[in-house]
Amino acid sequence: MSFTKLVKANATALTVAFVLLGTASPARAADAEAGKQKAAVCAACHGEGGNSTNPAVPSIAQQPAQFVSTALFMFREGNRKDPQMSPMAANLSNEDMNDLAAFFSAQKAAPPGHKSNPENAKTGPELAQKFNCTQCHGRGLLGQQHIPRLAGQQFEYLRTQLRGFKAMTRADIDGNMTSAARALSEKDIEVLSDFIAGASAQ
Amino acid sequence: MKNVIAFTVTTAFAVSALAQDKPAAQPAPSWQQGKPAAQAESTLHPFAPHMTGRAAKELPVNKLKVPAGFKVEVWADGIPEARSLALGDKGTVFVSNRNAKNVYAVVNANGKREVKTILKGLDAPNGIVFSKGTLYVAERGRITRYDGIESKLEQPGEGKVVVDNLDPNRQAGHFWKFLAMGPDGKLYFNIGAPGNIVMPSYMEASIMRVDPDKGVLETVAMGVRNSVGMDWNPKTKELWFTNHGRDWLGNDLPNDTLHRVAAKSAVPNFGYPFCHQGDVQDPDFGKNRSCAEFAKPALKLGAHIAPLGMRFYTGKMFPAEYQNNIFIAMHGSWNRETKQGYNVMRVKLDEKGNPKMQPFVEGFLTDEKADPPMWGRPVDLLVMKDGSMLFSDDYNGIIYRVSYGK
């Protein structure tokens, strides 16, 4: 049946049209259980349940689901590039990304292994406010919606990302981080990364 | 001489050190541009779409409300960041996006609705319109045409450039475009203001048109901060469009607006950045200016409510009183404490052409104080050949259908 004919049929026989509407292949709901299976390969770098023990690799446990799916989307689409992650994301479907997001957002973040320098732990919160970190990442830097949890994140990873944003070699979806990082000095980056890496992830 | 240099260096150093102590001196994200010191602590922020889409079955779509006799249902999901809609002669529904780089086609294959990605690698292809067999696409900096698109959805080839260099400064603000085909055969589109509240360059904050065969640009309206929806009154052939007012001027000001460009008028200037909603002077740019010199909006729609797509209804399915009514998709507010919008509104023009607005599709707003306050956001509208109306939701990547009848 051609679409035009179908449309005409819809106008005269709505009930039939609704049955046909039901036969469209709808998107599948995000599935954390399916995500667990798909996440097996992630553990090699990101750690068990997404809790990384490698200072250069981010923890993705208990990240907001929308952040996880958005990050994977950006790797696949090439907005964000990484020698390890770009090929990992290249063949993931949107459904895969939603499943992985559902799984990792449901994992509990481990207490941070990093111990902040006491001086940085003291000045860090002020800096985080001054440079608008808390504006989007929230007061406790726990993230929300498409914005990642930073608290308790790996030190080296945080520092590399902030340097990347400042150098404009790392992109985010709306340019907010590029803009925010422009104001940071190397010292600020050092202090912020050290403070944030030791902050409670809960 | 050496001393002078040493002094200069020291002074410059001291100044930059001083500047670093003042948070106000830091560059703010583009959506924070124009945020006054008094609102420095505000945590209001825009909402990002779920870029991988969300399935309709995990969302409260049964909470959507329409007037008696109407029905609203999911037409298609799995179209991430579904934005503008366009209808082909053969029934193809084209769907654009803003943060991704694709254009999709929804086609009917053996009674099943199928979503195809037909164009890839585009630069913010928000604007699409179909006319006489051709799909036109407005990207960030150019408009291209894909002739005979419906017969080659699998391989549409490279687009032919209609006009280029529309964003020479790669502006940080409203770089996405809405595209519409006028009754005069010309393509109409917005060039948004390059920030929340900034002095636009000569082409920015305008509505332009271009003859697709000649590629010559003309200005249609000026002082338009950002329009993401336009259509022509089927009776008078006059252009109507929606416009977004500035942010960070408080919860209730200024209103977003609906505008009419009177036929055969000189190019109207609607006031940005000097005057908002026809009667509110900008606290900075409006000094030493008066709103009296600017054209007025046809209707105030609500502060920060974010009107996007708007269409006159000319279908045959809805009751007669809906004929030639304007439907507006409200994307919903972020820049106010109590959220509003996130619905489809109906605007009826009385005999004198004065507009009156009432809700048409509601139910996306769940908690006006929550963050996020909604589960979906209407973007664009499309009247189908059978008279039903589709509307897109970029937050989830879903298209809904509103119909009337038994």
Side-chain angles (χ1 to χ4, degrees):
Chain A
M1 187 188 246
S2 79
F3 192 80
T4 323
K5 278 185 188 159
L6 180 69
V7 165
K8 282 181 187 157
N10 281 354
T12 48
L14 284 167
T15 329
V16 175
F18 294 143
V19 172
L20 286 171
L21 282 171
T23 66
S25 51
R28 198 170 51 65
D31 181 346
E33 199 49 45
K36 187 180 180 180
Q37 308 297 321
K38 293 171 184 176
V41 65
C42 311
C45 296
H46 288 284
E48 205 54 48
N51 278 301
S52 166
T53 51
N54 180 338
V57 176
S59 279
I60 47 179
Q62 210 180 319
Q63 289 288 359
Q66 192 182 348
F67 163 71
V68 176
S69 58
T70 302
L72 289 168
F73 171 86
M74 288 181 66
F75 280 122
R76 185 184 67 196
E77 301 296 318
N79 308 54
R80 193 177 164 186
K81 293 188 174 80
D82 179 84
Q84 270 82 47
M85 274 312 296
S86 298
M88 293 301 292
N91 295 317
L92 296 181
S93 67
N94 289 331
E95 284 186 350
D96 292 336
M97 294 179 180
N98 289 342
D99 291 345
L100 288 165
F103 171 70
F104 283 115
S105 62
Q107 305 309 301
K108 194 169 160 66
H114 183 88
K115 288 274 175 286
S116 309
N117 171 320
E119 187 65 22
N120 293 344
K122 216 171 112 189
T123 55
E126 255 172 73
L127 273 190
Q129 188 143 11
K130 173 181 161 183
F131 290 112
N132 297 321
C133 310
T134 49
Q135 199 81 252
C136 298
H137 294 275
R139 297 254 175 246
L141 301 175
L142 296 173
Q144 55 167 335
Q145 299 167 51
H146 68 296
I147 298 158
R149 164 177 69 80
L150 303 178
Q153 188 52 279
Q154 291 292 343
F155 169 72
E156 188 54 48
Y157 173 76
L158 286 171
R159 191 168 62 175
T160 307
Q161 302 315 303
L162 285 173
R163 285 175 177 165
F165 280 124
K166 188 175 162 69
M168 296 174 83
T169 52
R170 154 94 211 257
D172 62 355
I173 198 147
D174 43 21
N176 287 335
M177 275 309 298
T178 309
S179 176
R182 219 185 303 162
L184 301 175
S185 69
E186 182 55 30
K187 175 86 196 308
D188 296 328
I189 290 176
E190 199 69 32
V191 173
L192 278 170
S193 304
D194 181 53
F195 150 64
I196 294 168
S200 168
Q202 300 303 326
Chain B
M1 193 65 187
K2 258 186 187 170
N3 283 349
V4 174
I5 292 169
F7 175 76
T8 317
V9 170
T10 321
T11 315
F13 194 76
V15 167
S16 80
L18 200 70
Q20 286 214 347
D21 290 339
K22 290 185 187 168
Q26 293 153 18
S30 66
W31 57 270
Q32 287 198 13
Q33 188 272 321
K35 188 177 181 178
Q39 292 188 62
E41 297 298 307
S42 168
T43 54
L44 299 177
H45 63 90
F47 306 109
H50 289 267
M51 291 307 300
T52 48
R54 289 199 294 180
K57 66 176 65 157
E58 58 187 283
L59 298 169
V61 288
N62 60 346
K63 293 277 164 57
L64 293 176
K65 281 188 302 187
V66 281
F70 286 88
K71 178 182 168 111
V72 58
E73 66 206 302
V74 173
W75 188 76
D77 63 358
I79 312 174
E81 217 207 3
R83 293 272 299 184
S84 306
L85 301 171
L87 180 62
D89 290 339
K90 297 177 185 169
T92 311
V93 172
F94 298 95
V95 190
S96 80
N97 47 53
R98 175 171 66 167
N99 292 301
K101 302 164 185 165
N102 306 330
V103 173
Y104 303 98
V106 186
V107 294
N108 200 294
N110 305 320
K112 259 191 150 189
R113 201 158 288 122
E114 198 180 294
V115 181
K116 295 173 190 281
T117 304
I118 57 163
L119 302 176
K120 289 181 177 176
L122 304 181
D123 193 359
N126 185 74
I128 51 172
V129 70
F130 183 94
S131 176
K132 295 178 184 158
T134 297
L135 180 72
Y136 296 91
V137 180
E139 296 175 67
R140 174 180 196 133
R142 62 175 194 167
I143 297 171
T144 49
R145 61 186 294 162
Y146 297 84
D147 297 328
I149 184 88
E150 280 188 292
S151 56
K152 46 182 179 182
L153 291 175
E154 306 297 332
Q155 282 185 315
E158 287 290 310
K160 280 185 275 181
V161 175
V162 172
V163 62
D164 211 342
N165 206 26
L166 296 175
D167 182 24
N169 302 324
R170 275 208 73 87
Q171 63 137 309
H174 308 96
F175 52 80
W176 54 95
K177 307 207 165 11
F178 185 86
L179 190 61
M181 177 60 80
D184 54 2
K186 293 178 179 175
L187 291 162
Y188 285 66
F189 58 98
N190 62 306
I191 298 185
N196 170 33
I197 183 71
V198 287
M199 188 62 74
S201 77
Y202 200 75
M203 283 208 314
E204 290 163 339
S206 70
I207 289 180
M208 309 280 287
R209 71 178 169 204
V210 62
D211 183 327
D213 298 325
K214 297 182 182 137
V216 177
L217 288 168
E218 295 166 284
T219 306
V220 176
M222 295 176 70
V224 180
R225 182 173 171 277
N226 196 35
S227 171
V228 200
M230 52 190 93
D231 198 8
W232 285 263
N233 185 322
K235 281 187 189 165
T236 65
K237 307 294 178 205
E238 289 174 328
L239 171 68
W240 288 66
F241 66 90
T242 55
N243 180 37
H244 289 211
R246 66 159 292 184
D247 297 317
W248 303 118
L249 211 55
N251 287 325
D252 299 317
L253 283 176
N255 274 262
D256 292 343
T257 40
L258 178 66
H259 296 263
R260 181 179 69 95
V261 178
K264 292 179 183 164
S265 74
V267 174
N269 187 324
F270 290 101
Y272 179 91
F274 311 109
C275 173
H276 311 294
Q277 66 168 49
D279 55 12
V280 171
Q281 276 170 261
D282 189 80
D284 298 317
F285 291 94
K287 284 175 191 162
N288 306 84
R289 300 296 290 239
S290 157
C291 281
E293 76 172 287
F294 300 111
K296 305 280 177 258
L299 186 65
K300 294 172 183 171
L301 300 174
H304 313 296
I305 202 162
L308 295 181
M310 65 144 287
R311 311 272 176 167
F312 283 88
Y313 182 79
T314 51
K316 300 287 175 257
M317 183 189 279
F318 295 2
E321 57 169 318
Y322 284 80
Q323 209 45 225
N324 299 333
N325 285 187
I326 302 170
F327 287 96
I328 306 179
M330 301 291 189
H331 205 217
S333 67
W334 65 265
N335 194 236
R336 76 197 304 267
E337 307 291 329
T338 305
K339 304 296 186 285
Q340 61 177 355
Y342 307 100
N343 51 24
V344 177
M345 300 295 281
R346 170 191 175 200
V347 176
K348 198 173 176 177
L349 303 178
D350 69 16
E351 282 169 11
K352 290 177 187 162
N354 297 318
K356 274 213 168 141
M357 187 162 66
Q358 56 188 284
F360 185 64
V361 184
E362 296 180 289
F364 291 107
L365 183 66
T366 42
D367 179 350
E368 60 189 19
K369 296 286 189 186
D371 183 1
M374 77 305 172
W375 60 267
R377 309 186 79 178
V379 176
D380 196 17
L381 309 152
L382 182 66
V383 180
M384 299 293 276
K385 285 177 190 158
D386 68 350
S388 65
M389 191 171 72
L390 302 185
F391 67 95
S392 56
D393 162 10
D394 64 344
Y395 192 67
N396 299 303
I398 296 177
I399 297 173
Y400 308 85
R401 175 179 185 261
V402 182
S403 55
Y404 182 82
K406 282 171 270 178

